[in-house]
């Protein structure tokens, strides 16, 4: 492994940080999350046209840049620093890889160039709260989360030779209220031939009801989808594709991007706290000069740097086929939670106010754990996969 970044990777990070510094400050962030879409379409257009961010990891044949998951993770680290609300995670990280892996040539040609150009946003709809299970991060992906023929999931029935209709409900869909195309996981077939399939659904399809939730983390807008006999298009040429395997394969890339994003947010939260304690005076001296404050911030710094190393490693290891994303994500989420909590404490009274940005980082930490964790489940499943706690006979 080469731990140094290439000139191209450094340029991606530098350019993206400069753009976000200009266009995603505190006022712009708060204004964006209050819009119906939950993000600034002008900023999203700039990220797409100037940096090619949505197509960063897509092949050049479909209008993408042709980079790897490493570049996408490094870009996510910068968006995490600013808590930039955008459809990047839902569109480019969760949905586009599945379309690329499972879609027909026609479906890829129709969707991926528009995703790469930023003119089409997409969202992955997984029933219930089972997104991390579907991605094989907190449990085995057996497909039961898709409904299994029982109430609570999304059911698909075939109409004629090629048509499909969906009915059911999906909660906690990232950017589900604004995405122009939805990739819905649904259960098809009776008990003997039950299987999980993915379907493309237009955002304005008849019978589709989308309601935006009031999420804990406003920078990650979520929606509830109700599908009432909605027309859908099967992703792929037929229903024999191994959808569960592809979802599982996507999981490590998702974990790598999320870990880098959390590290960026943690690094920024720590940076803001250090700046504050250098300026805030008490008893005639900066509070950052007190040894107790130094020790607390030093502990946070060590934790953030360790998480950063893990995030960089998993971004590289994903391309080598090594599945360590869950552990890196757990470490990054824990570092973000610690950095955000210490930031609120050390900012004192102002850290608890709505006007200060400290609570935004804490909510990102808590919201990500609810969506993609919690930390102890990520670690427990990784330990189970490594057979760490299996009983072994010890011979003396």
């Amino acid at each position: 492994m080469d731990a140094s970044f290439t000139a191209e990777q450094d340029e991606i990070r530098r350019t993206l940080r400069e753009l976000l510094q200009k266009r995603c400050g505190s006022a712009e962030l708060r204004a964006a999350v209050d819009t119906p879409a939950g993000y600034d379409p002008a900023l999203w257009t700039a990220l797409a046209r100037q940096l090619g961010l949505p197509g960063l990891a897509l092949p050049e044949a479909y209008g993408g840049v042709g980079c790897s998951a490493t570049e996408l993770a490094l870009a996510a680290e910068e968006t995490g620093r600013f808590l930039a609300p955008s459809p990047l995670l839902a569109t480019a990280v969760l949905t586009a890889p599945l379309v690329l892996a499972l879609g027909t040539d026609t479906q890829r040609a129709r969707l991926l160039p528009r995703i790469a150009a930023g003119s089409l946003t997409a969202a992955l709809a997984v029933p219930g709260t089972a997104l991390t299970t579907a991605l094989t991060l907190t449990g085995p992906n057996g497909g039961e989360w898709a409904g299994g023929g029982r109430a609570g999931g999304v059911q698909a029935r075939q109409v004629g030779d090629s048509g499909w209709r969906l009915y059911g409900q999906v909660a906690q869909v990232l950017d589900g209220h604004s995405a122009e195309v939805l990739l819905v996981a649904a259960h098809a077939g009776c008990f003997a031939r039950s299987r999980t399939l993915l379907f493309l659904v237009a955002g304005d399809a008849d019978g589709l009801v989308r309601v935006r939730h009031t999420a804990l983390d406003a920078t990650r807008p979520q929606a509830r989808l109700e599908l009432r006999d909605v027309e859908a298009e099967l992703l792929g040429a037929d229903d024999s594709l191994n959808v569960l395997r592809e979802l599982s394969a996507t999981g490590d890339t998702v974990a790598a991007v999320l870990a880098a994003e959390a590290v960026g947010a943690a690094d920024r939260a720590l940076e803001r706290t250090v700046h504050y304690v250098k300026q805030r005076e008490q008893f005639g001296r900066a509070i950052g000069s007190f040894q107790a404050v130094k020790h607390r911030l030093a502990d946070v710094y060590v934790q953030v740097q360790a998480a950063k190393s893990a995030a960089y490693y998993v971004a590289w290891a994903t391309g080598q086929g090594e599945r360590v994303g869950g552990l890196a994500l757990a470490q990054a989420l824990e570092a973000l939670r610690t950095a955000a909590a210490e930031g609120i404490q050390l900012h004192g009274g102002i850290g608890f106010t709505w006007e200060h940005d400290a609570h935004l980082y804490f909510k990102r930490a808590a919201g990500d754990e609810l969506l993609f964790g919690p930390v102890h489940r990520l670690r427990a499943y990784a330990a189970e996969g490594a057979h760490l706690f299996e009983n072994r006979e010890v011979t003396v």
Side-chain angles (χ1 to χ4, degrees):
M1 174 185 177
D2 184 359
S4 62
F5 295 118
T6 65
E8 183 182 33
Q9 291 169 340
D10 285 332
E11 183 64 17
I12 290 173
R13 302 174 74 187
R14 184 191 64 80
T15 307
L16 181 54
R17 183 176 298 191
E18 289 179 355
L19 178 62
L20 292 175
Q21 282 177 338
K22 294 177 182 178
R23 305 193 54 170
C24 197
S26 178
E28 291 83 0
L29 169 63
R30 291 169 184 263
V33 298
D34 287 336
T35 62
Y39 65 92
D40 181 6
L43 176 59
W44 176 243
T45 301
L47 292 174
R49 292 181 179 177
Q50 295 181 27
L51 300 175
L53 207 57
L56 200 60
L58 288 176
E60 295 180 11
Y62 296 110
V65 181
C67 293
S68 67
T70 302
E71 285 76 16
L72 189 58
L74 293 177
E77 183 182 358
E78 297 304 321
T79 61
R81 286 180 61 84
F82 297 89
L83 302 181
S86 77
L88 180 66
L89 178 60
T91 301
V93 183
L94 288 170
T95 307
L98 293 170
V99 175
L100 180 62
L102 297 172
T104 64
D105 291 340
T106 302
Q107 290 170 336
R108 293 172 187 167
R110 186 177 82 238
L111 299 174
L112 293 180
R114 295 166 62 198
I115 287 177
S119 59
L120 179 71
T121 57
L124 175 63
V126 171
T129 56
L131 180 58
T132 53
T133 302
L135 298 173
T136 324
L137 294 176
T138 58
N141 184 357
E144 295 82 2
W145 47 266
R150 300 179 295 276
V154 177
Q155 309 302 316
R157 63 182 177 89
Q158 193 166 9
V159 180
D161 293 333
S162 59
W164 291 85
R165 312 290 292 193
L166 304 183
Y167 56 97
Q169 180 172 298
V170 191
Q172 294 181 323
V173 180
L174 287 174
D175 293 305
H177 63 294
S178 61
E180 293 159 292
V181 64
L182 300 167
L183 188 58
V184 182
H187 178 271
C190 58
F191 179 78
R193 292 191 66 249
S194 63
R195 60 207 184 278
T196 301
L197 302 174
L198 290 174
F199 296 89
L200 295 167
V201 176
D204 56 356
D206 292 336
L208 175 64
V209 179
R210 307 195 285 181
V211 180
R212 181 178 176 181
H213 285 166
T214 301
L216 173 64
D217 177 13
T219 65
R220 286 213 197 279
Q222 302 174 33
R224 184 184 76 253
L225 309 182
E226 295 179 8
L227 300 104
R228 303 169 181 174
D229 200 32
V230 175
E231 183 180 358
E233 175 188 355
L234 178 67
L235 182 67
D238 54 56
D239 59 0
S240 63
L241 296 174
N242 196 330
V243 170
L244 300 181
R245 183 185 62 195
E246 293 301 333
L247 279 166
S248 179
T250 304
D252 254 36
T253 300
V254 174
V257 172
L258 286 169
E261 189 184 65
V263 161
D267 198 31
R268 179 59 176 156
L270 176 60
E271 182 182 291
R272 294 175 64 127
T273 304
V274 170
H275 176 76
Y276 179 79
V277 299
K278 288 181 178 179
Q279 305 297 321
R280 177 77 167 94
E281 291 190 359
Q282 193 171 16
F283 305 114
R285 55 190 288 194
I287 62 173
S289 64
F290 292 109
Q291 192 173 33
V293 174
K294 290 180 179 180
H295 285 174
R296 291 175 69 172
L297 289 176
D299 289 342
V300 176
Y301 175 80
V302 170
Q303 193 168 356
V304 171
Q305 291 304 309
K308 184 179 293 189
S309 296
Y312 289 167
Y313 177 79
V314 75
W316 170 83
T318 299
Q320 312 303 313
E322 187 177 351
R323 296 195 63 103
V324 289
L327 280 175
L329 178 57
Q331 194 162 354
L333 290 178
E334 190 171 55
L336 174 55
R337 182 178 61 195
T338 302
E342 289 289 353
I344 290 176
Q345 288 288 324
L346 293 176
H347 272 83
I350 194 174
F352 290 86
T353 64
W354 182 262
E355 290 76 13
H356 200 275
D357 289 344
H359 72 93
L360 297 177
Y361 289 88
F362 188 80
K363 288 177 178 177
R364 169 60 68 88
D368 274 6
E369 277 212 58
L370 290 173
L371 278 171
F372 305 108
V375 166
H376 71 271
R377 287 188 61 194
L378 289 165
R379 286 181 171 148
Y381 186 65
E384 181 183 335
H387 309 289
L388 291 183
F389 301 114
E390 287 186 356
N391 292 326
R392 292 186 175 90
E393 294 184 3
V394 179
T395 58
V396 179

